[in-house]
mmCIF file of all heavy atoms in Angstrom:
data_model
loop_
_atom_site.group_PDB
_atom_site.id
_atom_site.type_symbol
_atom_site.label_atom_id
_atom_site.label_comp_id
_atom_site.label_asym_id
_atom_site.label_seq_id
_atom_site.Cartn_x
_atom_site.Cartn_y
_atom_site.Cartn_z
ATOM 1 N N GLN A 1 6.972 8.253 -3.711
ATOM 2 C CA GLN A 1 6.255 9.456 -3.296
ATOM 3 C C GLN A 1 4.837 9.413 -3.856
ATOM 4 O O GLN A 1 3.880 9.821 -3.190
ATOM 5 C CB GLN A 1 6.973 10.722 -3.770
ATOM 6 C CG GLN A 1 6.266 12.024 -3.403
ATOM 7 C CD GLN A 1 6.240 12.297 -1.914
ATOM 8 O OE1 GLN A 1 7.253 12.204 -1.251
ATOM 9 N NE2 GLN A 1 5.070 12.627 -1.377
ATOM 10 N N GLY A 2 4.696 8.891 -5.071
ATOM 11 C CA GLY A 2 3.375 8.738 -5.676
ATOM 12 C C GLY A 2 2.467 7.866 -4.833
ATOM 13 O O GLY A 2 1.280 8.167 -4.664
ATOM 14 N N HIS A 3 3.011 6.790 -4.265
ATOM 15 C CA HIS A 3 2.202 5.934 -3.391
ATOM 16 C C HIS A 3 1.751 6.703 -2.148
ATOM 17 O O HIS A 3 0.602 6.575 -1.714
ATOM 18 C CB HIS A 3 2.974 4.682 -2.976
ATOM 19 C CG HIS A 3 3.013 3.631 -4.025
ATOM 20 N ND1 HIS A 3 1.896 2.938 -4.439
ATOM 21 C CD2 HIS A 3 4.051 3.138 -4.758
ATOM 22 C CE1 HIS A 3 2.229 2.069 -5.374
ATOM 23 N NE2 HIS A 3 3.540 2.179 -5.599
ATOM 24 N N PHE A 4 2.643 7.514 -1.600
ATOM 25 C CA PHE A 4 2.288 8.322 -0.418
ATOM 26 C C PHE A 4 1.236 9.366 -0.801
ATOM 27 O O PHE A 4 0.285 9.612 -0.056
ATOM 28 C CB PHE A 4 3.544 8.960 0.166
ATOM 29 C CG PHE A 4 3.405 9.518 1.563
ATOM 30 C CD1 PHE A 4 2.404 9.124 2.431
ATOM 31 C CD2 PHE A 4 4.332 10.454 2.020
ATOM 32 C CE1 PHE A 4 2.312 9.643 3.723
ATOM 33 C CE2 PHE A 4 4.256 10.975 3.303
ATOM 34 C CZ PHE A 4 3.237 10.574 4.153
ATOM 35 N N ASP A 5 1.375 9.956 -1.976
ATOM 36 C CA ASP A 5 0.392 10.932 -2.449
ATOM 37 C C ASP A 5 -0.965 10.270 -2.711
ATOM 38 O O ASP A 5 -2.014 10.854 -2.424
ATOM 39 C CB ASP A 5 0.892 11.647 -3.708
ATOM 40 C CG ASP A 5 2.095 12.538 -3.438
ATOM 41 O OD1 ASP A 5 2.376 12.861 -2.262
ATOM 42 O OD2 ASP A 5 2.773 12.912 -4.421
ATOM 43 N N ILE A 6 -0.951 9.050 -3.243
ATOM 44 C CA ILE A 6 -2.195 8.297 -3.438
ATOM 45 C C ILE A 6 -2.849 8.042 -2.084
ATOM 46 O O ILE A 6 -4.069 8.157 -1.930
ATOM 47 C CB ILE A 6 -1.927 6.969 -4.185
ATOM 48 C CG1 ILE A 6 -1.595 7.248 -5.657
ATOM 49 C CG2 ILE A 6 -3.116 6.008 -4.053
ATOM 50 C CD1 ILE A 6 -1.037 6.047 -6.416
ATOM 51 N N ASN A 7 -2.037 7.727 -1.101
ATOM 52 C CA ASN A 7 -2.563 7.513 0.250
ATOM 53 C C ASN A 7 -3.276 8.775 0.746
ATOM 54 O O ASN A 7 -4.368 8.703 1.316
ATOM 55 C CB ASN A 7 -1.424 7.116 1.194
ATOM 56 C CG ASN A 7 -1.914 6.437 2.441
ATOM 57 O OD1 ASN A 7 -2.398 5.320 2.389
ATOM 58 N ND2 ASN A 7 -1.783 7.112 3.566
ATOM 59 N N GLU A 8 -2.676 9.934 0.514
ATOM 60 C CA GLU A 8 -3.305 11.201 0.894
ATOM 61 C C GLU A 8 -4.580 11.438 0.092
ATOM 62 O O GLU A 8 -5.588 11.912 0.634
ATOM 63 C CB GLU A 8 -2.337 12.370 0.700
ATOM 64 C CG GLU A 8 -2.960 13.749 0.884
ATOM 65 C CD GLU A 8 -3.521 14.042 2.266
ATOM 66 O OE1 GLU A 8 -3.202 13.318 3.231
ATOM 67 O OE2 GLU A 8 -4.293 15.029 2.391
ATOM 68 N N LEU A 9 -4.553 11.109 -1.182
ATOM 69 C CA LEU A 9 -5.745 11.260 -2.023
ATOM 70 C C LEU A 9 -6.919 10.482 -1.429
ATOM 71 O O LEU A 9 -8.031 11.010 -1.297
ATOM 72 C CB LEU A 9 -5.440 10.772 -3.442
ATOM 73 C CG LEU A 9 -6.607 10.724 -4.422
ATOM 74 C CD1 LEU A 9 -7.178 12.119 -4.654
ATOM 75 C CD2 LEU A 9 -6.151 10.101 -5.735
ATOM 76 N N PHE A 10 -6.672 9.248 -1.015
ATOM 77 C CA PHE A 10 -7.756 8.443 -0.460
ATOM 78 C C PHE A 10 -8.085 8.835 0.974
ATOM 79 O O PHE A 10 -9.204 8.602 1.441
ATOM 80 C CB PHE A 10 -7.468 6.949 -0.647
ATOM 81 C CG PHE A 10 -7.772 6.527 -2.051
ATOM 82 C CD1 PHE A 10 -6.826 6.670 -3.054
ATOM 83 C CD2 PHE A 10 -9.032 6.064 -2.393
ATOM 84 C CE1 PHE A 10 -7.117 6.326 -4.372
ATOM 85 C CE2 PHE A 10 -9.338 5.724 -3.704
ATOM 86 C CZ PHE A 10 -8.386 5.862 -4.703
ATOM 87 N N THR A 11 -7.145 9.459 1.665
ATOM 88 C CA THR A 11 -7.454 10.042 2.972
ATOM 89 C C THR A 11 -8.485 11.154 2.792
ATOM 90 O O THR A 11 -9.453 11.259 3.550
ATOM 91 C CB THR A 11 -6.169 10.583 3.637
ATOM 92 O OG1 THR A 11 -5.267 9.490 3.838
ATOM 93 C CG2 THR A 11 -6.453 11.263 4.957
ATOM 94 N N ARG A 12 -8.291 11.974 1.770
ATOM 95 C CA ARG A 12 -9.246 13.040 1.478
ATOM 96 C C ARG A 12 -10.604 12.475 1.051
ATOM 97 O O ARG A 12 -11.650 13.009 1.420
ATOM 98 C CB ARG A 12 -8.692 13.975 0.406
ATOM 99 C CG ARG A 12 -7.491 14.764 0.899
ATOM 100 C CD ARG A 12 -6.911 15.669 -0.156
ATOM 101 N NE ARG A 12 -5.658 16.255 0.309
ATOM 102 C CZ ARG A 12 -5.012 17.196 -0.336
ATOM 103 N NH1 ARG A 12 -5.477 17.674 -1.486
ATOM 104 N NH2 ARG A 12 -3.872 17.679 0.143
ATOM 105 N N LYS A 13 -10.583 11.397 0.277
ATOM 106 C CA LYS A 13 -11.843 10.754 -0.123
ATOM 107 C C LYS A 13 -12.567 10.212 1.105
ATOM 108 O O LYS A 13 -13.799 10.272 1.187
ATOM 109 C CB LYS A 13 -11.584 9.650 -1.148
ATOM 110 C CG LYS A 13 -11.178 10.191 -2.500
ATOM 111 C CD LYS A 13 -10.969 9.088 -3.517
ATOM 112 C CE LYS A 13 -10.578 9.698 -4.857
ATOM 113 N NZ LYS A 13 -10.854 8.815 -5.979
ATOM 114 N N LEU A 14 -11.813 9.690 2.062
ATOM 115 C CA LEU A 14 -12.419 9.196 3.292
ATOM 116 C C LEU A 14 -13.027 10.354 4.088
ATOM 117 O O LEU A 14 -14.145 10.235 4.598
ATOM 118 C CB LEU A 14 -11.387 8.443 4.135
ATOM 119 C CG LEU A 14 -11.904 7.817 5.424
ATOM 120 C CD1 LEU A 14 -12.980 6.760 5.137
ATOM 121 C CD2 LEU A 14 -10.752 7.201 6.216
ATOM 122 N N LYS A 15 -12.315 11.470 4.177
ATOM 123 C CA LYS A 15 -12.867 12.649 4.866
ATOM 124 C C LYS A 15 -14.162 13.100 4.211
ATOM 125 O O LYS A 15 -15.139 13.414 4.899
ATOM 126 C CB LYS A 15 -11.856 13.798 4.856
ATOM 127 C CG LYS A 15 -10.681 13.604 5.780
ATOM 128 C CD LYS A 15 -9.685 14.753 5.665
ATOM 129 C CE LYS A 15 -8.453 14.491 6.494
ATOM 130 N NZ LYS A 15 -7.447 15.543 6.332
ATOM 131 N N LYS A 16 -14.179 13.115 2.903
ATOM 132 C CA LYS A 16 -15.376 13.512 2.161
ATOM 133 C C LYS A 16 -16.533 12.552 2.467
ATOM 134 O O LYS A 16 -17.663 12.988 2.721
ATOM 135 C CB LYS A 16 -15.076 13.536 0.658
ATOM 136 C CG LYS A 16 -16.233 13.977 -0.198
ATOM 137 C CD LYS A 16 -15.843 14.007 -1.664
ATOM 138 C CE LYS A 16 -17.021 14.452 -2.527
ATOM 139 N NZ LYS A 16 -16.658 14.483 -3.947
ATOM 140 N N ALA A 17 -16.245 11.261 2.453
ATOM 141 C CA ALA A 17 -17.286 10.265 2.731
ATOM 142 C C ALA A 17 -17.779 10.365 4.171
ATOM 143 O O ALA A 17 -18.991 10.265 4.425
ATOM 144 C CB ALA A 17 -16.751 8.861 2.447
ATOM 145 N N PHE A 18 -16.879 10.591 5.121
ATOM 146 C CA PHE A 18 -17.293 10.748 6.517
ATOM 147 C C PHE A 18 -18.160 11.993 6.689
ATOM 148 O O PHE A 18 -19.127 11.978 7.433
ATOM 149 C CB PHE A 18 -16.076 10.814 7.443
ATOM 150 C CG PHE A 18 -15.517 9.479 7.870
ATOM 151 C CD1 PHE A 18 -15.886 8.287 7.259
ATOM 152 C CD2 PHE A 18 -14.580 9.421 8.887
ATOM 153 C CE1 PHE A 18 -15.356 7.066 7.663
ATOM 154 C CE2 PHE A 18 -14.041 8.207 9.300
ATOM 155 C CZ PHE A 18 -14.433 7.025 8.696
ATOM 156 N N LYS A 19 -17.800 13.079 6.002
ATOM 157 C CA LYS A 19 -18.596 14.309 6.101
ATOM 158 C C LYS A 19 -19.991 14.117 5.514
ATOM 159 O O LYS A 19 -20.948 14.741 5.969
ATOM 160 C CB LYS A 19 -17.888 15.483 5.428
ATOM 161 C CG LYS A 19 -16.773 16.044 6.266
ATOM 162 C CD LYS A 19 -16.249 17.352 5.719
ATOM 163 C CE LYS A 19 -15.198 17.886 6.674
ATOM 164 N NZ LYS A 19 -14.758 19.229 6.340
ATOM 165 N N ALA A 20 -20.110 13.265 4.509
ATOM 166 C CA ALA A 20 -21.408 13.017 3.876
ATOM 167 C C ALA A 20 -22.253 12.005 4.666
ATOM 168 O O ALA A 20 -23.444 11.868 4.403
ATOM 169 C CB ALA A 20 -21.191 12.499 2.451
ATOM 170 N N TYR A 21 -21.648 11.350 5.618
ATOM 171 C CA TYR A 21 -22.332 10.316 6.400
ATOM 172 C C TYR A 21 -23.483 10.907 7.216
ATOM 173 O O TYR A 21 -23.318 11.919 7.898
ATOM 174 C CB TYR A 21 -21.314 9.625 7.322
ATOM 175 C CG TYR A 21 -21.905 8.724 8.369
ATOM 176 C CD1 TYR A 21 -22.562 7.557 8.009
ATOM 177 C CD2 TYR A 21 -21.796 9.047 9.715
ATOM 178 C CE1 TYR A 21 -23.096 6.716 8.979
ATOM 179 C CE2 TYR A 21 -22.317 8.213 10.688
ATOM 180 C CZ TYR A 21 -22.981 7.059 10.321
ATOM 181 O OH TYR A 21 -23.506 6.235 11.280
ATOM 182 N N SER A 22 -24.619 10.263 7.147
ATOM 183 C CA SER A 22 -25.774 10.652 7.975
ATOM 184 C C SER A 22 -25.625 9.954 9.325
ATOM 185 O O SER A 22 -25.803 8.742 9.427
ATOM 186 C CB SER A 22 -27.085 10.241 7.310
ATOM 187 O OG SER A 22 -27.264 10.937 6.113
ATOM 188 N N PHE A 23 -25.308 10.734 10.316
ATOM 189 C CA PHE A 23 -24.982 10.217 11.645
ATOM 190 C C PHE A 23 -26.120 9.381 12.231
ATOM 191 O O PHE A 23 -27.264 9.802 12.282
ATOM 192 C CB PHE A 23 -24.644 11.390 12.566
ATOM 193 C CG PHE A 23 -24.355 10.985 13.977
ATOM 194 C CD1 PHE A 23 -23.225 10.235 14.272
ATOM 195 C CD2 PHE A 23 -25.202 11.358 15.006
ATOM 196 C CE1 PHE A 23 -22.948 9.864 15.577
ATOM 197 C CE2 PHE A 23 -24.930 10.995 16.309
ATOM 198 C CZ PHE A 23 -23.803 10.243 16.596
ATOM 199 N N ASN A 24 -25.756 8.174 12.660
ATOM 200 C CA ASN A 24 -26.679 7.282 13.341
ATOM 201 C C ASN A 24 -25.963 6.743 14.572
ATOM 202 O O ASN A 24 -25.064 5.900 14.439
ATOM 203 C CB ASN A 24 -27.105 6.135 12.415
ATOM 204 C CG ASN A 24 -28.073 5.182 13.080
ATOM 205 O OD1 ASN A 24 -28.247 5.180 14.289
ATOM 206 N ND2 ASN A 24 -28.695 4.335 12.272
ATOM 207 N N PRO A 25 -26.306 7.212 15.768
ATOM 208 C CA PRO A 25 -25.569 6.798 16.975
ATOM 209 C C PRO A 25 -25.655 5.297 17.265
ATOM 210 O O PRO A 25 -24.765 4.747 17.898
ATOM 211 C CB PRO A 25 -26.208 7.618 18.097
ATOM 212 C CG PRO A 25 -27.512 8.085 17.564
ATOM 213 C CD PRO A 25 -27.386 8.152 16.079
ATOM 214 N N VAL A 26 -26.669 4.647 16.763
ATOM 215 C CA VAL A 26 -26.828 3.210 17.004
ATOM 216 C C VAL A 26 -25.809 2.396 16.203
ATOM 217 O O VAL A 26 -25.276 1.398 16.682
ATOM 218 C CB VAL A 26 -28.277 2.766 16.664
ATOM 219 C CG1 VAL A 26 -28.424 1.259 16.775
ATOM 220 C CG2 VAL A 26 -29.269 3.479 17.557
ATOM 221 N N SER A 27 -25.504 2.842 14.998
ATOM 222 C CA SER A 27 -24.634 2.041 14.119
ATOM 223 C C SER A 27 -23.373 2.772 13.666
ATOM 224 O O SER A 27 -22.710 2.333 12.724
ATOM 225 C CB SER A 27 -25.433 1.593 12.897
ATOM 226 O OG SER A 27 -25.891 2.720 12.174
ATOM 227 N N VAL A 28 -23.024 3.868 14.323
ATOM 228 C CA VAL A 28 -21.914 4.703 13.872
ATOM 229 C C VAL A 28 -20.611 3.924 13.725
ATOM 230 O O VAL A 28 -19.891 4.073 12.737
ATOM 231 C CB VAL A 28 -21.737 5.967 14.753
ATOM 232 C CG1 VAL A 28 -21.342 5.618 16.172
ATOM 233 C CG2 VAL A 28 -20.743 6.927 14.134
ATOM 234 N N ASN A 29 -20.282 3.074 14.690
ATOM 235 C CA ASN A 29 -19.025 2.308 14.615
ATOM 236 C C ASN A 29 -18.995 1.450 13.361
ATOM 237 O O ASN A 29 -18.023 1.476 12.589
ATOM 238 C CB ASN A 29 -18.847 1.412 15.839
ATOM 239 C CG ASN A 29 -18.586 2.187 17.106
ATOM 240 O OD1 ASN A 29 -18.111 3.316 17.066
ATOM 241 N ND2 ASN A 29 -18.922 1.592 18.228
ATOM 242 N N LYS A 30 -20.039 0.686 13.153
ATOM 243 C CA LYS A 30 -20.128 -0.219 12.005
ATOM 244 C C LYS A 30 -20.180 0.569 10.695
ATOM 245 O O LYS A 30 -19.539 0.191 9.713
ATOM 246 C CB LYS A 30 -21.369 -1.100 12.163
ATOM 247 C CG LYS A 30 -21.485 -2.199 11.143
ATOM 248 C CD LYS A 30 -22.626 -3.150 11.449
ATOM 249 C CE LYS A 30 -23.926 -2.381 11.285
ATOM 250 N NZ LYS A 30 -25.123 -3.187 11.355
ATOM 251 N N ASP A 31 -20.917 1.658 10.687
ATOM 252 C CA ASP A 31 -21.060 2.464 9.473
ATOM 253 C C ASP A 31 -19.725 3.068 9.036
ATOM 254 O O ASP A 31 -19.356 2.993 7.859
ATOM 255 C CB ASP A 31 -22.078 3.591 9.682
ATOM 256 C CG ASP A 31 -23.486 3.086 9.928
ATOM 257 O OD1 ASP A 31 -23.770 1.905 9.641
ATOM 258 O OD2 ASP A 31 -24.305 3.892 10.438
ATOM 259 N N LEU A 32 -19.000 3.678 9.981
ATOM 260 C CA LEU A 32 -17.720 4.299 9.636
ATOM 261 C C LEU A 32 -16.687 3.247 9.236
ATOM 262 O O LEU A 32 -15.890 3.470 8.326
ATOM 263 C CB LEU A 32 -17.203 5.169 10.778
ATOM 264 C CG LEU A 32 -18.051 6.410 11.088
ATOM 265 C CD1 LEU A 32 -17.405 7.216 12.215
ATOM 266 C CD2 LEU A 32 -18.267 7.281 9.870
ATOM 267 N N GLU A 33 -16.726 2.101 9.885
ATOM 268 C CA GLU A 33 -15.811 1.022 9.504
ATOM 269 C C GLU A 33 -16.099 0.555 8.074
ATOM 270 O O GLU A 33 -15.172 0.309 7.289
ATOM 271 C CB GLU A 33 -15.931 -0.156 10.473
ATOM 272 C CG GLU A 33 -14.951 -1.267 10.184
ATOM 273 C CD GLU A 33 -15.027 -2.411 11.184
ATOM 274 O OE1 GLU A 33 -15.713 -2.292 12.215
ATOM 275 O OE2 GLU A 33 -14.376 -3.440 10.912
ATOM 276 N N ALA A 34 -17.366 0.453 7.726
ATOM 277 C CA ALA A 34 -17.741 0.037 6.361
ATOM 278 C C ALA A 34 -17.294 1.081 5.341
ATOM 279 O O ALA A 34 -16.781 0.727 4.265
ATOM 280 C CB ALA A 34 -19.253 -0.183 6.276
ATOM 281 N N ILE A 35 -17.457 2.349 5.671
ATOM 282 C CA ILE A 35 -17.005 3.424 4.771
ATOM 283 C C ILE A 35 -15.493 3.332 4.599
ATOM 284 O O ILE A 35 -14.971 3.393 3.482
ATOM 285 C CB ILE A 35 -17.435 4.808 5.299
ATOM 286 C CG1 ILE A 35 -18.951 4.958 5.235
ATOM 287 C CG2 ILE A 35 -16.741 5.923 4.515
ATOM 288 C CD1 ILE A 35 -19.483 6.177 6.000
ATOM 289 N N PHE A 36 -14.780 3.185 5.712
ATOM 290 C CA PHE A 36 -13.322 3.075 5.659
ATOM 291 C C PHE A 36 -12.904 1.887 4.786
ATOM 292 O O PHE A 36 -12.036 2.017 3.921
ATOM 293 C CB PHE A 36 -12.713 2.930 7.062
ATOM 294 C CG PHE A 36 -11.240 2.655 7.020
ATOM 295 C CD1 PHE A 36 -10.332 3.697 6.889
ATOM 296 C CD2 PHE A 36 -10.747 1.355 7.063
ATOM 297 C CE1 PHE A 36 -8.964 3.445 6.807
ATOM 298 C CE2 PHE A 36 -9.392 1.097 6.985
ATOM 299 C CZ PHE A 36 -8.495 2.149 6.855
ATOM 300 N N ASN A 37 -13.502 0.721 5.025
ATOM 301 C CA ASN A 37 -13.133 -0.484 4.273
ATOM 302 C C ASN A 37 -13.369 -0.304 2.776
ATOM 303 O O ASN A 37 -12.551 -0.749 1.960
ATOM 304 C CB ASN A 37 -13.881 -1.705 4.795
ATOM 305 C CG ASN A 37 -13.372 -2.146 6.155
ATOM 306 O OD1 ASN A 37 -12.244 -1.841 6.547
ATOM 307 N ND2 ASN A 37 -14.204 -2.842 6.901
ATOM 308 N N LYS A 38 -14.454 0.349 2.404
ATOM 309 C CA LYS A 38 -14.748 0.599 0.988
ATOM 310 C C LYS A 38 -13.672 1.502 0.374
ATOM 311 O O LYS A 38 -13.130 1.206 -0.693
ATOM 312 C CB LYS A 38 -16.127 1.236 0.841
ATOM 313 C CG LYS A 38 -16.535 1.524 -0.593
ATOM 314 C CD LYS A 38 -17.929 2.155 -0.632
ATOM 315 C CE LYS A 38 -18.410 2.386 -2.041
ATOM 316 N NZ LYS A 38 -17.700 3.429 -2.753
ATOM 317 N N VAL A 39 -13.346 2.588 1.051
ATOM 318 C CA VAL A 39 -12.324 3.517 0.553
ATOM 319 C C VAL A 39 -10.964 2.819 0.507
ATOM 320 O O VAL A 39 -10.203 2.990 -0.447
ATOM 321 C CB VAL A 39 -12.282 4.809 1.407
ATOM 322 C CG1 VAL A 39 -11.078 5.679 1.065
ATOM 323 C CG2 VAL A 39 -13.577 5.602 1.238
ATOM 324 N N TRP A 40 -10.641 2.019 1.513
ATOM 325 C CA TRP A 40 -9.353 1.314 1.557
ATOM 326 C C TRP A 40 -9.225 0.340 0.387
ATOM 327 O O TRP A 40 -8.159 0.237 -0.235
ATOM 328 C CB TRP A 40 -9.166 0.605 2.889
ATOM 329 C CG TRP A 40 -7.804 0.011 3.031
ATOM 330 C CD1 TRP A 40 -7.458 -1.302 2.960
ATOM 331 C CD2 TRP A 40 -6.577 0.726 3.227
ATOM 332 N NE1 TRP A 40 -6.100 -1.454 3.112
ATOM 333 C CE2 TRP A 40 -5.537 -0.229 3.280
ATOM 334 C CE3 TRP A 40 -6.263 2.072 3.378
ATOM 335 C CZ2 TRP A 40 -4.205 0.122 3.470
ATOM 336 C CZ3 TRP A 40 -4.932 2.427 3.564
ATOM 337 C CH2 TRP A 40 -3.917 1.464 3.612
ATOM 338 N N GLU A 41 -10.286 -0.385 0.072
ATOM 339 C CA GLU A 41 -10.260 -1.310 -1.062
ATOM 340 C C GLU A 41 -10.067 -0.548 -2.376
ATOM 341 O O GLU A 41 -9.328 -1.002 -3.257
ATOM 342 C CB GLU A 41 -11.530 -2.165 -1.104
ATOM 343 C CG GLU A 41 -11.599 -3.211 0.007
ATOM 344 C CD GLU A 41 -10.407 -4.148 0.052
ATOM 345 O OE1 GLU A 41 -10.003 -4.661 -1.016
ATOM 346 O OE2 GLU A 41 -9.859 -4.365 1.156
ATOM 347 N N GLU A 42 -10.713 0.612 -2.496
ATOM 348 C CA GLU A 42 -10.528 1.450 -3.690
ATOM 349 C C GLU A 42 -9.087 1.928 -3.786
ATOM 350 O O GLU A 42 -8.498 1.961 -4.869
ATOM 351 C CB GLU A 42 -11.480 2.650 -3.654
ATOM 352 C CG GLU A 42 -12.937 2.288 -3.840
ATOM 353 C CD GLU A 42 -13.887 3.444 -3.572
ATOM 354 O OE1 GLU A 42 -13.429 4.583 -3.272
ATOM 355 O OE2 GLU A 42 -15.104 3.217 -3.656
ATOM 356 N N LYS A 43 -8.505 2.283 -2.657
ATOM 357 C CA LYS A 43 -7.106 2.741 -2.623
ATOM 358 C C LYS A 43 -6.160 1.621 -3.062
ATOM 359 O O LYS A 43 -5.256 1.841 -3.864
ATOM 360 C CB LYS A 43 -6.736 3.221 -1.219
ATOM 361 C CG LYS A 43 -5.277 3.681 -1.095
ATOM 362 C CD LYS A 43 -4.733 3.337 0.268
ATOM 363 C CE LYS A 43 -3.283 3.639 0.435
ATOM 364 N NZ LYS A 43 -2.384 2.670 -0.201
ATOM 365 N N LYS A 44 -6.394 0.415 -2.560
ATOM 366 C CA LYS A 44 -5.535 -0.719 -2.933
ATOM 367 C C LYS A 44 -5.614 -0.989 -4.436
ATOM 368 O O LYS A 44 -4.586 -1.231 -5.080
ATOM 369 C CB LYS A 44 -5.909 -1.960 -2.122
ATOM 370 C CG LYS A 44 -5.466 -1.866 -0.680
ATOM 371 C CD LYS A 44 -5.777 -3.039 0.227
ATOM 372 C CE LYS A 44 -6.460 -4.222 -0.299
ATOM 373 N NZ LYS A 44 -6.806 -5.236 0.703
ATOM 374 N N ALA A 45 -6.804 -0.912 -5.003
ATOM 375 C CA ALA A 45 -6.968 -1.129 -6.443
ATOM 376 C C ALA A 45 -6.272 -0.020 -7.233
ATOM 377 O O ALA A 45 -5.632 -0.277 -8.260
ATOM 378 C CB ALA A 45 -8.454 -1.196 -6.796
ATOM 379 N N PHE A 46 -6.377 1.214 -6.754
ATOM 380 C CA PHE A 46 -5.745 2.363 -7.405
ATOM 381 C C PHE A 46 -4.226 2.210 -7.368
ATOM 382 O O PHE A 46 -3.541 2.428 -8.375
ATOM 383 C CB PHE A 46 -6.198 3.643 -6.688
ATOM 384 C CG PHE A 46 -5.980 4.914 -7.443
ATOM 385 C CD1 PHE A 46 -6.935 5.387 -8.330
ATOM 386 C CD2 PHE A 46 -4.845 5.677 -7.236
ATOM 387 C CE1 PHE A 46 -6.763 6.595 -9.008
ATOM 388 C CE2 PHE A 46 -4.652 6.888 -7.906
ATOM 389 C CZ PHE A 46 -5.616 7.338 -8.794
#
């Protein structure tokens, strides 16, 4: 259950990071993927 809760914790961190993102229509796909990958790597380490 702790692993599932950690997953939710990093889901919230991803939401926070996406909300802080300065929207750029030219690079939005790449930018959000990079944000996701960074948060995912942090989650795996956690």
Side-chain angles (χ1 to χ4, degrees):
Q1 179 67 49
H3 281 293
F4 195 20
D5 293 344
I6 288 168
N7 200 69
E8 172 62 16
L9 174 62
F10 281 85
T11 298
R12 293 179 188 188
K13 289 182 179 202
L14 183 62
K15 287 177 185 176
K16 182 179 180 180
F18 276 13
K19 283 191 176 188
Y21 169 67
S22 295
F23 177 67
N24 180 345
V26 174
S27 61
V28 65
N29 291 336
K30 188 173 67 172
D31 295 343
L32 294 182
E33 184 177 351
I35 293 168
F36 173 83
N37 288 338
K38 181 180 183 290
V39 170
W40 187 254
E41 289 304 314
E42 291 170 2
K43 179 215 175 283
K44 287 180 1 185
F46 197 88

